[in-house]
């Protein structure tokens, strides 16, 4: 597909938004979802990407195009400094990879107390934490089964990997509650983007079962903590009614992933799938919920 100016410049993109009838959008630097895994040994290089993103798009273009600088967490002080740098330049949302955090002593959960100073600052700034589908490094696990060490190739079909495709986001959400960050920082606002919603019910069932068996291992009710802080952008093909029953309509976010092939050519047509809802609930999904998370 030819790369038109609207894919690379904020001005033409704004014109395209007007044509599509989209008032405001979260914009994700696609390659950022892939390069962090490849920069495990040099996390400071991520700042160069954020500099380019700011210089090319800005972090808040006319309060309609909100781009998401990448915050990588291996060095907590530097992550806080990067967050402050981005917020000072208008960032309203940040991109954090749904993956264990690499480090000199091995990887660890982003929700462990080690990272509390960072999450405390996130709450203070009020920014939205977005977790976009990424290369979460899980190819190293599937390669144990497949007998090779090929890197993650995002658009190459692989049946075995597809079976566990949503394992990274499941593990990420489980880490948020099992390692306590959502309880220590209930003010966190988290949006899960391009991860679908088919994994939500199995995860909540599992968390509910584990909590029943070992409640003392949690700082509170894990299912309620997920419902209080996590927002999900389902795929168009997902069962939206089931998701609303599980999470509540206030936790569902419209998204089209335009112009990717799994997106919608006419993003507003998403409303056709939610005609069974009240007009009030349709408005929440189509923009009201995001506006609440990122107020004017």
């Amino acid at each position: 597909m030819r790369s038109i100016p609207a894919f690379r410049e904020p001005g033409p993109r704004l014109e395209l938004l007007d044509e599509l009838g989209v008032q405001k959008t979260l914009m994700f630097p696609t390659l950022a979802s892939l390069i962090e895994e490849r920069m495990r040994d040099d996390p400071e290089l991520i700042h160069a990407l954020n500099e380019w993103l700011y210089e090319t798009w800005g972090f808040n273009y006319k309060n309609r195009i909100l781009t998401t600088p990448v915050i990588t967490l291996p060095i907590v002080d530097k992550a806080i400094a990067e967050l402050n740098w981005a917020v000072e330049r208008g960032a309203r949302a940040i991109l954090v990879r749904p993956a264990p955090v690499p480090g000199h002593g091995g990887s660890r959960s982003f929700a462990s107390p080690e990272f509390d100073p960072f999450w405390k600052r996130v709450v203070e700034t009020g920014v939205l934490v977005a977790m976009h589908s990424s290369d979460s490094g899980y190819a190293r696990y599937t390669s144990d089964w497949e007998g090779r060490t090929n890197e993650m190739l995002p658009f190459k079909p692989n049946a075995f990997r597809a079976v566990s495709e949503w394992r990274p986001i499941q593990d990420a959400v489980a880490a948020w509650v099992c390692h306590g960050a959502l309880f220590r920082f209930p003010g966190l606002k988290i949006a899960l983007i391009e991860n679908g919603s088919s994994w939500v019910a199995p995860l909540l069932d599992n968390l509910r079962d584990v909590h029943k068996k070992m409640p003392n291992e949690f700082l509170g009710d894990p299912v309620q903590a997920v419902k209080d802080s996590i927002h999900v952008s389902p795929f168009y093909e997902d069962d939206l009614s089931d998701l609303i029953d599980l999470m509540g309509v206030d936790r569902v976010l419209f998204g089209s992933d335009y112009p990717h092939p799994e997106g919608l050519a006419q993003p507003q047509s998403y409303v056709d799938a939610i005609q069974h809802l009240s007009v009030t609930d349709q408005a929440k999904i189509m923009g009201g919920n995001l506006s609440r998370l990122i107020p004017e």
Side-chain angles (χ1 to χ4, degrees):
M1 180 181 181
R2 184 171 60 90
S3 181
I4 61 177
F7 296 167
R8 294 182 175 273
E9 302 171 37
R13 184 68 171 200
L14 202 60
E15 294 176 5
L16 179 59
L17 291 183
D18 289 337
E19 293 175 15
L20 296 174
V22 177
Q23 181 181 8
K24 182 180 293 188
T25 182
L26 279 178
M27 292 279 288
F28 295 89
T30 295
L31 291 180
S33 301
L34 306 177
I35 62 173
E36 189 173 354
E37 175 65 18
R38 287 145 185 82
M39 293 182 176
R40 289 170 62 90
D41 297 330
D42 197 356
E44 294 182 39
L45 283 177
I46 294 292
H47 179 69
L49 174 67
N50 287 336
E51 285 273 16
W52 169 83
L53 186 63
Y54 177 65
E55 291 171 2
T56 305
W57 287 85
F59 295 142
N60 185 346
Y61 187 75
K62 297 188 176 181
N63 204 33
R64 292 186 62 190
I65 300 176
L66 307 177
T67 57
T68 57
V70 182
I71 307 295
T72 190
L73 299 174
I75 304 170
V76 177
D77 289 345
K78 290 187 178 295
I80 294 173
E82 190 75 0
L83 172 65
N84 289 335
W85 176 87
V87 170
E88 289 167 1
R89 286 158 179 77
R92 307 293 300 280
I94 59 173
L95 180 60
V96 176
R97 188 170 63 130
V101 180
H104 297 300
S107 61
R108 65 274 199 212
S109 169
F110 53 76
S112 68
E114 173 187 351
F115 300 100
D116 281 2
F118 176 77
W119 299 123
K120 179 177 182 291
R121 183 60 185 145
V122 167
V123 172
E124 290 171 349
T125 63
V127 297
L128 174 67
V129 178
M131 289 191 146
H132 189 281
S133 181
S134 302
D135 180 357
S136 295
Y138 275 53
R140 67 175 61 88
Y141 308 127
T142 54
S143 292
D144 285 345
W145 289 97
E146 297 192 315
R148 55 182 185 270
T149 57
N150 288 351
E151 67 177 346
M152 179 264 202
L153 299 174
F155 298 111
K156 180 177 174 59
N158 182 305
F160 182 79
R161 295 184 184 186
V163 170
S164 57
E165 184 175 10
W166 308 118
R167 182 61 184 267
I169 196 62
Q170 279 187 297
D171 289 350
V173 175
W176 276 118
V177 289
C178 292
H179 301 145
L182 287 193
F183 299 106
R184 295 191 298 273
F185 301 99
L188 281 169
K189 302 178 296 184
I190 302 164
L192 310 180
I193 309 298
E194 205 187 352
N195 287 286
S197 63
S198 61
W199 53 270
V200 175
L203 175 63
L204 294 186
D205 285 344
N206 200 8
L207 287 173
R208 191 176 292 109
D209 183 59
V210 173
H211 180 243
K212 181 173 63 176
K213 294 175 179 177
M214 49 183 75
N216 292 337
E217 290 299 305
F218 295 88
L219 298 177
D221 182 342
V223 173
Q224 190 59 51
V226 170
K227 292 181 178 182
D228 288 343
S229 298
I230 301 292
H231 302 73
V232 179
S233 177
F235 291 134
Y236 183 78
E237 300 84 0
D238 290 342
D239 191 323
L240 198 59
S241 295
D242 283 354
L243 179 62
I244 291 172
D245 289 343
L246 286 167
M247 297 289 292
V249 71
D250 290 342
R251 298 294 180 264
V252 179
L253 304 175
F254 152 69
S256 77
D257 203 33
Y258 181 96
H260 286 185
E262 66 270 33
L264 298 175
Q266 296 296 325
Q268 277 195 339
S269 66
Y270 191 95
V271 78
D272 296 338
I274 56 176
Q275 287 298 307
H276 61 289
L277 301 177
S278 69
V279 173
T280 298
D281 286 348
Q282 291 179 39
K284 287 181 178 181
I285 291 172
M286 295 302 294
N289 290 336
L290 184 62
S291 294
R292 172 176 48 81
L293 293 172
I294 308 178
E296 295 290 343

